[in-house]
Structures are given as C-alpha cells and as structure tokens.
Amino acid sequence: MKHKQLKQFPNNFLWGASTSAYQVEGAWDEDGKGPSIIDVKRIPEGTTDYKVASDHYHRYKEDVKLMAEMGFKAYRFSIAWTRIFPEGTGEINQKGIDFYNNLINELLKYNIEPIVTMYHFDMPLALDKKGGWGNRETVDAFETYAKVLFENYGDRVKYWLTINEQNMMILHGSAILGKDGENMEKELYQQNHHMLVAQAKVMKLCHEMLPQAKIGPAPNISYIYPATSKPDDVLAAQNFSAIRNWLYLDVAVFGRYNNLAWSFLEERDAIPSIQEGDMEILKAGKPDFIAFNYYSTKTVEAALDGENVKNDTGDQELAVGEAGVYKGHTNPNLPKNDFGWEIDPVGFRTTLREIYSRYHLPLIITENGLGAFDTLEEGDIVNDPYRINYLRAHMEQIQLAITDGVDVFGYCPWSAIDLISTHQGSKKRYGFIFVNRDEFDLKDLRRVRKQSFYWYQNVIKTNGAEL
Ligand code: BG6
C-alpha cells in the first residue's frame, strides 16, 4: 500500500539501543558474581570468550554518558541473574544489586528510560547442573529472582522484558548445554513449557507488585515467505511460522498453545508434560506489549517426509528444517550481509503488520541491526555507512508500518555499543560506539564514536523526521 502522506513517529517514541549483560559487561567473576552457562560454554576457535567483553561493568558511566550524548530516550539491557543470585537461588549478592541500581540511576540522571531484560541466555551454572529449564524448580527460582528485581528496581523501571529469544533457544537447542536425552525434542519442548510457565507467573507478579509497570515477552519474530506460490510451499511457510513465531506469542498473549505447533509436537512425540493448573497460570499472565527482535525474514519450501533437512549450524538467522514440515530456502530477492544473513527491510514492515494484526498489542523492537567488520581509521574515525543504510532502511519501514496503523512505541537496535557476538566474537560489530579491542588483544578498550553515532543522534533529535 502506498500512502500519500506518512504519519510521524509518535512524540514520546522510545529511541534507544540494546545490549545484553554477558555480551557487554565483562567482570565475569567480580564482586560476587556466580558462574553462568556462558562462562563454561565452548567458544568457537579463533574467537574471544566473554570474560572482559566491552568492560561495561567498569565503564558504564562513560557508556551511559555517550548514550545520553546520542540523545537516547531508552536503553535496553539485561540483568545477569548470577550477579543477583550467584547460585541462581538462595543468597542474594548485594554488590550485584548495587551495580544495577547504579546503572539505572545513571540512566535516569539523563532521562533515559531503562528497559530491563530479566533473562538473556545466561542460566546460572548451579541451576543448569540441576537440569536448568528442564527442571521444574527453575520456574520457582526465576519467580523468586523476578520478585527481587521488582522489589529493588520497580520504583524506577517501568518496562520489563521476561526472556530474550526463547524461540531461538528452542529452535537451535541453545538452551541446553551438553545434555543428550533420548528424545531431544521432547526435552527441549519441556524446557520451553517451563519457560512459558515461568514467564506467565512473572508477568502476573509484575502486575501485582508494580501496577504502573509494563511487561512483555521478547522473542525473535520473522515473517516467513513460501519459496514459491506452490500450495505445498505455502503450507510449509505456515508450518514454520507456527513453530517459530506463533507458538511463543500465542501462549504469551492468549495463554494457549497454537494448534499447528501443538500438532507438530504430537507428531514428534514431543508434547511436554503439563502439570495441573499450568493452563490457568498461562492464561493468568498477560503482557502489556510485545517486544521483538528482527534481523530478517525467512523463506521456506515444502520438505518431503524423511528428507534430511535439519542442517542446523546453530546460527539463529539461518532457517533450519524439519523433515515433512518445512525446509530452509535462500531468498534470491534479498542481499546478504558479511555473515550470510539476508537483509529485508520491507519484510520488517510485513512482520510488524502481521504481529499487530494477530495480537493488537503495542510493539517495541528490541533488536535489529547489522553485524559488520568495522575499521578504526587514523584520527579515531570509524566510517560505517553500511550500518547507517541498513538502519535507515528499517526505520523507513517502521514509519510505513506506523502509517499502516501499527502501534509501535519504540526502537532499540542492536547494539548501543560494540559487544561480543553470540558466535563470531568481537570482530562482528554492531554498535554506534566502537570499542577498541581485538579478538585476543584487549588494547585500551577505548570508546570511539562511529559515523552512525552522529547520524543516529540527528535521527533522535528530529524524532525520525530526518533519517
Ligand atoms: C540475537 C541475540 O539473537 O541476535 C543477541 O538476542 C545477539 O544476543 C544478536 O547478539 C545478534 O546475533 P550475533 O550472533 O550476530 O551476535
């Protein structure tokens, strides 16, 4: 649809950017922090670990000052569960509480709205050893952790996100470390169910404890294209969409499992065991908004029964496959970034429209961005026009979606500052702020404003009138 006149971004639009604790903080074992699964995970050869990352733990004041200079209205970050509860449960670590108190206060000093993710991939190791999300007790541990966050930060934090990209953890098996059950899918979807129950409990608790606050899920949502107009390809796209997207949002919003996803689980003998009362819990937890991460659309075609289509590299943006259900397909109409991810700004608008028409809840984008190899030039210059082009093209589509009538209240691209990527170390950069370090040489970790920093500063200053 072509609009004669575009609607403006709303006046109080939350322009900002995102990070996650383990990818940016460093200080992995300082001030009483306990180990998480990230601290023991197998690091791909040639890439760094997460021990120092961007050293944000020690430099958060400088980082927040730079965010304020860009004009951020919001900053989405995650809290490391193991800073608050080193063992995942039990003793609280006051120094961990203090760190996030200081960070939140620093943000508010500059009128930057804190948007807090409670869980971003970093399961406490102590809980993982007892089964992680596969163990029902982790649901209670998560609720207790959430309660402590609400008690300590609820007077200042108005926006809460429950679990980051639960769908990617399940789809790519990254929620479980080193567990080889007989039926991995059953184990995974049991973990999934526990996360959904934990999320619902925490959304309810948030509303009880903090009536003014808002809370929502934060999955990675992508519109799914059929590879052709062949009816079987269209069915495959619906299948994948149900398994990848709607399974998660239907439970979060409606408190019920998506029928297609459920029938997929039945076929795979992967129905989770559901305790008495669970469905009531799922129904009782209601989100106030939907936060979602978007990097690209996915394209699939029909997959024959028994065909080997799994091909999972572990990369969250490369479509996988399921025999008899769907098969990943490269979209010939889309360019790719340096890491093989397709770039599809128009698909962003499609995704925004689709989510809104299904759920009619306000939307905020909590990740979107371009991972690239940036170069620090002489005189502390980083030219990243490719990132500006990517972000601009996506912002244009947000404005079109707003004009389509979609209620979007914020945009927090990935990432505020360079950080360690999930698979490709520090060389895959996303930030507006360059961090001077290499994969294994920490150099001086100095912060450098990229070209995109100044560009985004003007976008925010003009509330998106100048993109
Ligand atoms: C999202 C995650 O999947 O994508 C982030 O929530 C991640 O943690 C981001 O960093 C970009 O992916 P990658 O693999 O390039 O770091």
Side-chain angles (χ1 to χ4, degrees), residues 79-85 88 119 122 124 127 133 138 141-142 145:
I79 291 185
W81 188 340
T82 51
R83 284 202 197 281
I84 307 298
F85 284 104
Y119 181 75
D122 49 357
L127 295 185
W133 284 115
T138 300
F142 187 65
Y145 162 60

Side-chain angles (χ1 to χ4, degrees), residues 274-294:
I274 295 187
Q275 282 189 11
E276 216 187 305
D278 278 2
M279 296 316 290
E280 287 69 32
I281 293 173
L282 294 182
K283 277 233 169 335
K286 296 261 179 244
D288 301 290
F289 60 85
I290 293 172
F292 75 102
N293 302 344
Y294 172 88

